[in-house]
């Protein structure tokens, strides 16, 4: 790792330089590391690549882009430096700060491009963009021919799109050695990224040093922390942070009150101190900010910073206090954690909570959940207080909670819905991420599920590569399902309305009471801060819809849907598995989604009472809103039954369902939309349906429904012994094996039961004989006879072991004896075996018979499989005990020469 020993301009400024780094870097800690980075890019391991490791607030985002622009100019290059920022507000703020330090206007030498907004032109040398913008550029221009350098900032946040860019840009560099690639991290995981953008293989030992031959990992340049002393205060709340509904109001009150008291104390000593409060989401920001406005010191300005406030409000929050302006408290999501530096902040109040995506494959849901932030995130939040002077952080939780938190943020690729990522990878030519060097491989199950969704949309072929339609959908800045709905929905609601609905669902705004139609009315009114951005998204999406709608072919809608259902139509086209119907019943409303998930509605929702809904978002939750289902609908729109069935027609089924109950086959014709029942009518089952119903019932409940007669059970036990000892072709007659091939041995009986025959009339002896192998079956009586002839002339039934006496996973053949099972038993009067020395053996001598030698009263006297040893030893003791009790029966001193008999002495 390179140590920061060089100055910002070790060679001095050159006439070719396009930025004055000395002026821009004044007062920034990273200025001392610029020389190291320049040297690493010229001579480090993988030429043209580097990883910058520096804490937040050191100035790396401000200084690295103009440095790369200068280096490109010195080489005579003309390509633009593109810098990714994980959030739109961060991209705008970074561009404005660099432009201000450069003395230029935003959009000239320094610009930005985010969704729905672009301030850049032909003369732009440094452009800040969000990762999604760069991903779409890569798909349109895989060589990035007009770009000379790419900087991936905040890679430690492990956003899904940034992870994809790491892998894709590493491939681009294999074709374009002149493309400079720099990754910037605020945490100590730089070696991982150095390996990825170097040779694409992460080897921790090699990643600690740079290679000299242009191979191996990229060089890592470190910038020491510029932190001033930081005081840490632990202030846990007396109430729980989370319950089954999310963040508790009591805890948010504690956060707000802690912020008010701490800030009042801080400004009492230094009026120039501003505070930054971290809470997990937009709703929590609004709640805490509202309480602070009533609690904070007079004249204190309380600002909100999250993705749903307007760009102007975001810019105001991150621009610092105006000269002579009031003290400020900025309440923010993790937006201000690492990608933004808020000037003037010397006090941080941290809730210790964050929102992370989670995917619930079993219930077909994905969304954000509130969890404890990682320890790395907590350190970055705290560090915001000590960038410009001694600072203080108040953590509204205890040290045990901090210690139990994960070390690093969970990579988004491990927990998010991967449908959009899978489409990007398919368009890139790496289906499922195959052959791409990613920081973490996507979970196979999640990627397979995403690939199946894309195939159903027509976006990928069965080999995983993108179709022409898939490439069209990838150009739409929305989830692929919404992109397809944009194109499909034009026939039903028109280009403009379809664009409105897709912009509505893919935006950041929360629908009041989960009602998307109400949110649409608000945004159309133009009074909300988000209305302008939404309108710009609509215009862009409408243009795409008009250009590309023909790519999807015919539509399920032959006429325009009613205006009141327009949003519902588009949502249902995008998410047919989330079309929902109200569940009849008293109490809180429950809805059954076509996927089979049940969910409630937020209390007081204007959607309550609607029979059908098209659900855009549903997430796991508890409390009253979930109505006992464990899930809550977060956004939806109403639609009629006919519209629901047209939009989700691929889920419509019309089947006859037969059942076998109490010895009788019944059937009903069931019409369903996925898991939602539409109608159920009694019908007469066909023979095939009846037979299948009987087979299903037997498979579910077992053969005991029919039962084995004495003869059938005896035959089954004999066959089980032969299978255990000899293996194939003797059949496996275990319950599992018999149920797996009912048609092979029980076909006629299934037909009889389907026609109404009583189960008691079915004897399974003959059906079992159908399993006998030929010609081996001719030896059944020899290998496993029903009875054994004893010396007295009697034929005694052999009791074979039950199937439960065999090992669960039966061994067969030569290995059978290693897994000893029960033994064949012959229970016979002792006197009938006089003189029998050789113990009989079954199955070609493999299995000795176990004798239960009985008294005349049929009580066991001895158990043995060695008759010779019994006559020579234990018999004498048995004789001594029994001849007085049974004097009428023979008890000779010499059993070897005595006549075997089943009679008394008088009848011999």
């Amino acid at each position: 790792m390179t140590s920061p020993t060089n100055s910002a301009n070790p060679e001095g400024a050159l006439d070719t330089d396009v930025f004055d780094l000395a002026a821009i870097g004044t007062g920034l800690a990273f200025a001392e590391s610029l020389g190291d980075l320049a040297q690493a890019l010229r001579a480090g391991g993988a030429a043209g690549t580097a990883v910058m490791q520096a804490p937040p607030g050191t100035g790396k985002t401000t200084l690295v882009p103009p440095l790369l622009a200068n280096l490109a100019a010195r080489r005579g290059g003309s390509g633009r430096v593109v810098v990714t920022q994980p959030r739109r507000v961060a991209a705008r703020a970074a561009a404005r700060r660099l432009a201000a330090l450069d003395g230029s206007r935003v959009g000239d030498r320094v610009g930005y491009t985010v969704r729905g907004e672009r301030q850049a032109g032909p003369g732009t040398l440094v452009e800040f963009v969000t990762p999604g913008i760069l991903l779409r550029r890569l798909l349109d221009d895989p060589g990035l021919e007009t770009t000379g350098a790419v900087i991936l900032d905040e890679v430690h946040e492990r956003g899904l799109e940034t992870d994809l860019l790491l892998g894709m840009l590493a491939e681009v560099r294999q074709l374009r050695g002149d493309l400079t690639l720099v990754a910037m991290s605020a945490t100590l995981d730089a070696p991982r990224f150095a390996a990825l953008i170097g040779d694409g293989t992460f080897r921790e030992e090699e990643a600690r040093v740079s290679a000299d031959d242009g191979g191996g990992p990229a060089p890592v340049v470190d910038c020491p922390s510029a932190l001033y002393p930081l005081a840490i205060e632990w202030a846990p709340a007396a109430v729980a942070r989370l319950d089954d509904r999310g963040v508790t109001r009591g805890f948010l009150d504690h956060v707000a009150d802690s912020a008010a008291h701490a800030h009042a104390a801080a400004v009492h000593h230094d009026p120039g101190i501003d505070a930054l409060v971290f809470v997990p989401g937009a709703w929590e920001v609004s709640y805490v900010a509202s309480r602070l406005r009533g609690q904070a010191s007079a004249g204190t300005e309380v600002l909100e910073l999250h993705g749903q406030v307007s760009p102007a409000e975001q810019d105001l929050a991150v621009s610092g206090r105006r000269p002579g302006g009031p003290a400020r408290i900025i309440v923010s999501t993790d937006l201000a954690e690492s990608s933004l530096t808020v000037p003037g902040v010397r006090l941080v109040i941290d809730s210790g909570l964050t929102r992370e995506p989670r995917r619930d494959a079993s219930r077909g849901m994905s969304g954000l959940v509130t969890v404890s932030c990682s320890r790395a995130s907590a350190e970055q939040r705290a560090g915001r207080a000590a960038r410009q002077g001694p600072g203080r952080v108040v953590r509204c939780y205890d040290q045990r909670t901090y210690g139990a938190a994960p070390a690093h943020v969970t990579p988004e690729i491990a927990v998010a819905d991967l449908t959009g990522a899978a489409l990007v990878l398919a368009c890139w030519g790496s289906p499922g991420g195959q052959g791409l060097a990613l920081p973490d491989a996507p979970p196979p199950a999640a990627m397979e599920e995403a690939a199946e969704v894309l195939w159903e949309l027509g976006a990928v072929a069965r080999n995983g590569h993108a179709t022409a339609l898939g490439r069209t959908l990838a150009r739409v800045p929305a989830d692929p399902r919404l992109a397809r709905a944009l194109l499909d929905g034009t026939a039903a609601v028109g280009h403009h309305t379809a664009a409105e609905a897709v912009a509505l669902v893919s935006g950041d705004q929360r629908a009041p009471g989960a009602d998307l139609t109400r949110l649409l009315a608000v945004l159309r009114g133009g009074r909300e801060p988000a209305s302008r951005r939404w309108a710009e998204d609509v215009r862009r999406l409408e243009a795409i819809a008009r250009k590309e709608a023909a790519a999807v072919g015919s539509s399920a809608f032959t006429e325009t849907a009613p205006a009141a259902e327009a949003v519902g139509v588009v949502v249902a086209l995008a998410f047919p598995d989330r079309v929902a119907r109200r569940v009849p019943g008293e109490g809180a409303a429950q809805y059954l989604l076509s996927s089979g998930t049940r969910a409630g509605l937020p209390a007081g929702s204007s959607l309550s009472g609607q029979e059908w809904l098209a659900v855009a978002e549903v997430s796991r939750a508890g409390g009253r809103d979930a109505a006992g289902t464990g899930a809550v609908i977060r956004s939806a729109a109403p639609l009629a039954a006919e519209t629901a069935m047209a939009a989700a027609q691929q889920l419509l089924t019309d089947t006859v369902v037969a059942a076998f109950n109490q010895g009788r086959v019944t059937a009903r014709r069931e019409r369903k939309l996925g898991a939602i029942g539409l109608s159920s009518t009694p019908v007469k089952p066909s023979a095939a349906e009846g037979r299948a119903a009987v087979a299903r019932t037997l498979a579910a409940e077992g053969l005991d429904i029919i039962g084995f007669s004495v003869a059938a059970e005896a035959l089954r036990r004999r066959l089980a012994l032969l299978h255990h000892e000899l293996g194939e072709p003797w059949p496996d007659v275990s319950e599992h094996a018999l149920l797996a091939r009912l048609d092979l041995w029980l076909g006629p009986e299934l037909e009889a039961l389907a026609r109404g025959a009583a189960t008691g009339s079915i004897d399974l002896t003959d059906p079992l004989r159908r399993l006998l192998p030929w010609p081996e079956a001719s030896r059944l009586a020899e290998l496993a006879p029903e009875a054994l002839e004893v010396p007295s002339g009697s034929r005694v039934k052999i009791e074979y072991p039950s199937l439960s006496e065999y090992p669960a996973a039966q061994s067969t053949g030569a290995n059978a004896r290693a897994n000893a099972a029960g033994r064949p038993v012959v229970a016979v009067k002792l006197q009938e075996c006089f003189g029998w020395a050789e113990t009989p053996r079954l199955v070609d001598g493999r299995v000795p018979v176990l004798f239960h030698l009985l008294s005349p009263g049929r009580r066991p006297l001895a158990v043995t499989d060695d008759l010779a040893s019994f006559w020579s030893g234990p018999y004498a003791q048995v004789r001594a005990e029994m001849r007085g009790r049974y004097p009428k029966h023979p008890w000779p001193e010499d059993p070897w020469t005595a006549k075997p008999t089943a009679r008394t002495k008088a009848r011999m």
Side-chain angles (χ1 to χ4, degrees), residues 746-834:
L746 200 60
E749 288 71 24
L750 294 178
E751 296 280 3
L753 290 169
R755 291 194 301 268
T759 54
S761 68
I762 304 297
D763 188 336
L764 295 180
T765 307
D766 286 339
L768 284 173
R769 289 188 178 278
R770 295 179 191 132
L771 293 172
L772 289 173
W774 294 95
E776 289 83 356
S778 61
R779 297 191 64 206
L780 174 61
E782 173 192 347
L783 297 171
E786 293 184 71
L788 185 67
E789 185 173 341
V790 297
S792 67
S794 301
R795 287 186 60 79
V796 181
K797 179 183 176 184
I798 301 173
E799 190 71 27
Y800 286 90
S802 68
L803 273 74
S804 63
E805 296 180 63
Y806 292 98
Q810 284 196 3
S811 298
T812 59
N815 295 324
R817 288 178 293 284
N819 285 320
R823 302 272 289 282
V825 173
V826 169
V828 60
K829 281 178 61 178
L830 179 149
Q831 285 80 3
E832 295 194 60
C833 299
F834 286 152

Side-chain angles (χ1 to χ4, degrees), residues 826-832 851-862 891:
V826 169
V828 60
K829 281 178 61 178
L830 179 149
Q831 285 80 3
E832 295 194 60
F851 280 89
H852 289 197
L853 298 176
L854 309 178
S855 72
R858 307 300 292 180
R859 292 178 176 273
L861 299 175
W891 299 98

Side-chain angles (χ1 to χ4, degrees), residues 595-829:
S595 64
T597 292
R598 287 180 181 243
L601 272 173
S605 171
S606 52
L607 294 173
S608 297
Q610 293 286 344
E611 180 72 10
W612 288 86
L613 295 175
V615 177
E617 182 185 352
V618 58
S619 61
R620 295 179 66 174
R624 181 180 61 174
D625 291 351
T629 65
V632 173
I633 294 169
R634 300 297 185 190
S635 60
L639 71 171
E642 297 77 11
T643 310
M645 284 178 266
Q649 59 180 307
Q650 66 269 41
L651 300 181
L652 278 171
T653 57
D654 190 341
T655 57
V656 173
V657 179
F660 181 62
N661 264 318
Q662 298 179 338
R664 180 168 171 263
V665 176
T666 59
R668 302 186 73 87
R669 188 183 194 92
E670 304 273 6
R671 290 188 67 247
K672 286 187 171 184
L673 185 68
I676 301 171
L678 301 175
S679 64
S680 179
T681 309
V683 295
K684 181 179 180 180
S686 66
E689 290 162 350
R691 177 174 170 158
V694 175
R696 280 195 304 273
T697 303
L698 289 174
E701 300 181 25
L703 291 167
D704 286 343
I705 292 175
I706 299 175
F708 288 87
S709 65
V710 173
E713 179 64 20
L715 175 59
R716 186 186 183 198
R717 292 186 178 196
R718 293 164 68 197
L719 293 175
L721 177 68
L722 293 177
H723 180 74
H724 182 258
E725 295 295 330
L726 301 177
E728 297 293 340
W730 295 100
D732 182 354
V733 289
S734 64
E735 181 95 350
H736 174 77
L738 291 176
L739 291 173
R741 46 181 180 170
L742 286 172
D743 285 341
L744 181 64
W745 67 283
L746 200 60
E749 288 71 24
L750 294 178
E751 296 280 3
L753 290 169
R755 291 194 301 268
T759 54
S761 68
I762 304 297
D763 188 336
L764 295 180
T765 307
D766 286 339
L768 284 173
R769 289 188 178 278
R770 295 179 191 132
L771 293 172
L772 289 173
W774 294 95
E776 289 83 356
S778 61
R779 297 191 64 206
L780 174 61
E782 173 192 347
L783 297 171
E786 293 184 71
L788 185 67
E789 185 173 341
V790 297
S792 67
S794 301
R795 287 186 60 79
V796 181
K797 179 183 176 184
I798 301 173
E799 190 71 27
Y800 286 90
S802 68
L803 273 74
S804 63
E805 296 180 63
Y806 292 98
Q810 284 196 3
S811 298
T812 59
N815 295 324
R817 288 178 293 284
N819 285 320
R823 302 272 289 282
V825 173
V826 169
V828 60
K829 281 178 61 178

Side-chain angles (χ1 to χ4, degrees), residues 341-426:
T341 295
V342 183
V345 169
R346 299 263 301 283
L347 172 66
V348 166
I349 294 85
D350 184 13
S351 69
L353 297 173
T354 189
R355 291 264 162 79
E356 290 186 356
R358 288 292 186 273
R359 170 180 161 274
D360 185 344
S362 62
R363 302 187 70 179
M365 298 186 299
S366 61
L368 297 175
V369 297
T370 304
V371 296
S372 291
C373 71
S374 68
R375 296 196 300 274
S377 293
E379 292 303 313
Q380 290 179 61
R381 294 178 181 187
R384 287 301 185 191
R387 297 299 175 203
Q388 297 172 310
R392 177 180 169 212
V393 57
V394 178
R395 288 177 171 154
C396 297
Y397 49 97
D398 57 27
Q399 289 170 285
R400 178 179 295 181
T401 302
Y402 172 82
H408 298 285
V409 66
T410 303
E412 189 177 357
I413 197 170
V415 292
D417 182 302
L418 298 182
T419 308
L423 180 57
V424 169
L425 292 170

